[in-house]
Amino acid sequence: MDKFTGIISDEKFSKISLAVAQYPKSLVHWEELLNYLISNSLPLNRSLDHRLYELIETTYDSMLSHFPYTENYYIDHALFQYKLGKVSKMHAVYQQGLKVFSYRSLHLWISYLKLCNEVVTSNKLLFQKYETAEKYIGLHYFSGEFWDLYLQQIQERCQRKERYFIILRKVLEIPLHSFSRFYAAWLRHIEEVQDVSQLNSFSSNEDLMKKLKIDVTYRGRKGPYLIECKKLLKKFTKELYMVVQYQVLEIYSLFESKLKTHYYSGPATLLPAVEVEIWDKYLDYTMSQRLDSLTHLNFQRALLPFAHYDIFWLKYANWLIDYSDDIASARNILIKGLSMSSKKNAIAKLLYATLCRLNDYDFLALIFEQHEDAHGDHIENVDDFEVFWDYVQFQTFCSSVTKSRYSKSELHSFMTPNVLDVILKRLSLQESKIDQLLLLSSILQLQTKSNTTFIEEKIFKHIIRSNWEFFLQNGQFWSLYSRLTFFNSSLSYLEKRRHIVKNIWLQGKRYNIKNLEPLREFCQSYLPEDIDALEEIFET
Amino acid sequence: MPGLNTNNIAEGSDKALYGLDPSFLKENPQLVNSYENIHWDSINSLNALVGAIEQVVIKYKNPNDRIKLAIEKMYRELLQKYPLFFGYWKRFTAVEYQLFGLQKSIDTLKKSVEAFPSSLELWCDYLNVLCTNNAVETTLIRGNFQVAKELIGYQFLSHPFWDKYIEFETKNEQSSNLKSIYEELVRIPLHQYAKYGVAYREFLRGIASQSEILDLDATIRSTQKAVTAIWPYESKIKQNFFTLSPVSNGELTNWDSYLEFIQLNRQQYNFSGEMIRAVFERCLVPCLYYEAFWIRFVKWFQREDSSVIQHVIEIFQKGISVLPITSRTFRLQFLQYLKKNLRNDKSYMFSIYSQTIASYMKIWPDQSSLMAEYLSLMKRTEFGSTIEQQDKEVLSKQTAYSNFLELAVRNYLQRRVDRSIPLQDVINDSNIAVVIVELIKSAWLVLKNIMQTRKYFNFYGKSPLLRTSVSFWLTYYKFEKSQQNFTKLNKFINDLGTNIFLPTTIVNDILIDYQSFYLANSNIADYQEHFAIVENSQEIQIADPILFSQFKINDPAWVPNLYKNSLDWYKSREFKENGHPGIIDEKPLITNAILEESSKSFDNVLPPLPTFRNLEKINQAVKYDDKFEKEHIGSNT
């Protein structure tokens, strides 16, 4: 029996793989499976059985598609490919991972670049990667290590000094945890200068002249002049240091020192609430700094541990909409959030609104279709009232393409038949759904002069005709019905009163109404003169 | 006790010391001082006054009328405020005796039992004095004994009274009266029940049959059972008198469980209504200022004797007159009670109701819900109509109501309030909105005058009094919703938080509701049109009813894209306080920062030297922005 067959016919394998198949959303089982496969495939080298290689590769892929935020498994996978000599696969895995994080994963970049340093021979290609990384994670509070790598490669691979000094000069301005290291290097370089002409490594000739009165072409006695110039350069370095140190201390003491979880830990782990709070404040702080690339980056950082919380997805989308006026990006973030967050209501609602704003009703319809599918075409069964209600509202709006408020047939202009159908189906579930009366009063909130008859005929009378006792025995129902009538602008005051007292209340009397209080409250607010009539009707 | 009738010592000619001989005042500085600087909530201060008065009475054997009058006035003031201090009544009686003689002191005792009818001591004193000095007036005395029996005869320690009563009837040789006294007495759970059992047996000997005696024994056993049952509570009562200091928790708990016990076990021990009532009344002497006992009392009483509405009302009024103004529950229960019984006697109930609610509006001027209650009940009683009436009659009532409200509002706004009209008398800045809303509701929903309704909204909406009125703006919102006027609705949503200031939770509800309403009642075409209008207008961007209006949730002052429009953002308070609200910090900044630029973009030319802002302030002490100090304390200085 070969190795592959041995592994897959082992009882342990079938047990673990069964667990994975049964609970694909449980990270532990995946980890077990991978550990089992890898530990039985050692040593990892080019001679690995092709079938085993494919099994491990697809396992990584499936696992990462279930858990796209497990940074370390991209690295694992890439190293696995690398060890087997599959360098282009290695690149692909890193690219795949980086894409998931919108290229804003410091961890992946550092690990990737370290490997690239080894395998990429073309300077141009290598530095392209560094430049991309610089763009996305260069302002990361912990990006000191990245900058070290970058500077080191520049020094090793570039003939000219300018690039090195430009990068180092830029790094000086970034509030980094390890900022002082770069100042030390900078000061050392100043110290190392032998000649006035070399001073243009620290700034442009014109600027040196203009701001520090340093003449790099100075022809006089150079020794004392150089000492003087170095002092001036150190002075500006010190000032810059003070500013950056101030920023670093602020960031560190207020936020970074209090954040402990910098990794993804799955949907089942509850993280300390204090970290949510700190991230929330940190993000507010970052937004006010007005460094958009840093804001993006910090949102992505917060999302790594808190991917299953809706708060940061919403905050990110809100920032994109309000601060950046970038509704399309917000939509993309919300779509990601919808798939990752455990709480989906608020994200979904904001997404719907965003899609309306973007005029993308086709996509909205698609989401609704998926939503309906997910409930086996019984959207009315959804437990959460808010989810149901958001669906109803946006569905009504979406189907308004054909409706107009100037339409003649009022009865059909308010709600499309299928929306009405869903509402009635939900109402028919009566006490098996909570918030049924909330649904009814929410519908009442939509009342206008033109849809009153629709609501009365299609909903309230329907409930009475269907004899749904859950409603008919509840004073709240009759109170809402009275209210609907009282706000019916097509009836005169006396018609309303008579309709309420003689039709609605007398009809209500036939049922064993459990709580009259809502009706009393209605009277108190709108018909105090009929309180006596109310009491008389329901007295017996 | 604080918060009670704060009828301060009257000024001017009403003042007790007014018109007294200056030399007298000079000779009695203690009296003057203790009276003029009296602290109503300090028992020491009250004692000092009473002591000073007594000194004067001792000092002057025969004071003149003015002094006598002054002394009486001071006592009356004191006892009007605190009628439950029986000790002061006794001392007052002694002083009256000294100054005016016997009859005046008897009259004072009579007044004392009227002011404090559940006082055993005062009744005993009064009856004692009557028996001793007016022994011949048996009818009068007997009448008083009977009144006293109703009021204090069921108190656990009322044996001195009963002794006196038996002695009185024995002396007058009224054996039939005695028999009925005993008959009642042996059923009352008294501390000395056994003594009366024996006495009654003795009394019956020879005149009653054997079976009567056996019945008596059974009655006594049952009374004994009752006494044993309540003894655990009675024995724990340490303070059965009124004081100005708070009652201890132990006492309060004991009263509470005592009352609970006798109510729950009434059947088992044959507790009579009189007995339970007596416990309540005794409890309400030390616990006069404790709302919970009043609530319990009135609740019990309603069940006990619901037929006599007048008595219930009296208990409510009594409680309200003594309870501190923070006792809301009891006071509001009274309103509920009156409302519930309105049908029984509309005009009487409504007159009590309106007096009561008017007094509440004076003590709680910010409670605008009282006004809503009041208007509702007023409409029901004074402008009522039934659906059986002719259309014309009903509408004339409604129009009259509307005119009545409009007049009240107009007079208030023009400062021409007619105090003789109860409604106008109670309108204030907090509840005027309720009246206006009622007026508008009447125009919109009853008289169906849309033009007039709009006029009202436009007119009153400008008044600063309504800028923060929740009910006014919610009515407006509802109105425009019903009219489907999206232009007005959008403007309203936009004004929230910038021109109209409502509590954030209300604003949130409106925003959420409006999104629903808009989605259900508008359509895609109109939504598109909305943006076309917004983009062409030069005005501030009107918030998008579907997407942007949601940004106002929890942040009513939000304005779209404020971020983009500000150039001096680093001067903003948000930036200076960034990360540490309340601490203003001039943060150092690099003004020509390059950190956001790609290093490649420099094209091998080194960037310019950095320039700074606020670098010199880096070591400055931070400033604390104490909003509380500034906005609440600072504004008064």
Side-chain angles (χ1 to χ4, degrees), chain A residues 1-166:
Chain A
M1 191 163 54
D2 62 36
K3 202 170 179 181
F4 175 73
T5 325
I7 289 174
I8 62 163
S9 51
D10 190 323
E11 202 185 319
K12 198 169 174 201
F13 175 78
S14 54
K15 214 176 118 194
I16 301 174
S17 54
L18 191 68
V20 166
Q22 268 182 327
Y23 308 105
K25 288 286 171 198
S26 165
L27 188 54
V28 221
H29 296 311
W30 284 103
E31 286 178 328
E32 252 181 283
L33 180 60
L34 268 175
N35 288 341
Y36 171 77
L37 291 176
I38 302 270
S39 59
N40 284 293
S41 315
L42 294 175
L44 294 177
N45 54 37
R46 281 164 204 261
S47 64
L48 186 68
D49 184 325
H50 185 66
R51 289 167 301 171
L52 207 47
Y53 165 75
E54 275 180 0
L55 181 59
I56 294 176
E57 185 179 43
T58 43
T59 309
Y60 271 120
D61 280 342
S62 320
M63 174 185 178
L64 287 168
S65 80
H66 280 294
F67 299 97
Y69 270 24
T70 48
E71 277 178 318
N72 277 324
Y73 283 98
Y74 291 104
I75 298 174
D76 260 20
H77 187 195
L79 288 176
F80 168 74
Q81 299 285 4
Y82 181 68
K83 279 177 193 159
L84 269 64
K86 302 191 186 285
V87 173
S88 64
K89 274 278 173 67
M90 179 275 280
H91 282 292
V93 171
Y94 273 118
Q95 289 297 336
Q96 175 205 348
L98 286 168
K99 217 171 152 195
V100 166
F101 295 100
S102 311
Y103 297 95
R104 295 190 178 93
S105 163
L106 178 67
H107 191 39
L108 283 182
W109 270 117
I110 288 179
S111 142
Y112 182 37
L113 290 173
K114 277 181 180 165
L115 274 185
C116 289
N117 289 345
E118 307 294 324
V119 297
V120 179
T121 45
S122 152
N123 289 351
K124 198 178 163 200
L125 280 179
L126 182 73
F127 288 127
Q128 265 173 6
K129 292 192 193 301
Y130 273 99
E131 281 150 22
T132 315
E134 174 186 347
K135 180 175 161 196
Y136 287 109
I137 50 94
L139 299 184
H140 197 297
Y141 181 75
F142 291 112
S143 64
E145 191 181 355
F146 159 74
W147 291 109
D148 278 338
L149 287 176
Y150 197 179
L151 289 168
Q152 194 190 335
Q153 288 302 314
I154 290 276
Q155 267 185 320
E156 279 175 16
R157 297 196 186 212
C158 283
Q159 299 293 322
R160 300 184 56 177
K161 284 271 170 216
E162 287 90 339
R163 255 324 256 295
Y164 174 83
F165 277 98
I166 288 167

Side-chain angles (χ1 to χ4, degrees), chain A residues 8 76 80 187 250 325 373-374 378 381 384 409 418 421 426 455 460 476 483 503 507 512 522:
Chain A
I8 62 163
D76 260 20
F80 168 74
L187 289 171
E250 189 169 72
D325 208 4
D373 284 350
H378 286 289
N381 277 331
D384 194 320
S409 58
N418 57 339
D421 185 50
R426 187 172 176 96
I455 297 175
F460 279 85
Q476 188 75 40
R483 192 178 296 240
N503 298 337
Q507 210 167 1
N512 182 20
F522 163 77

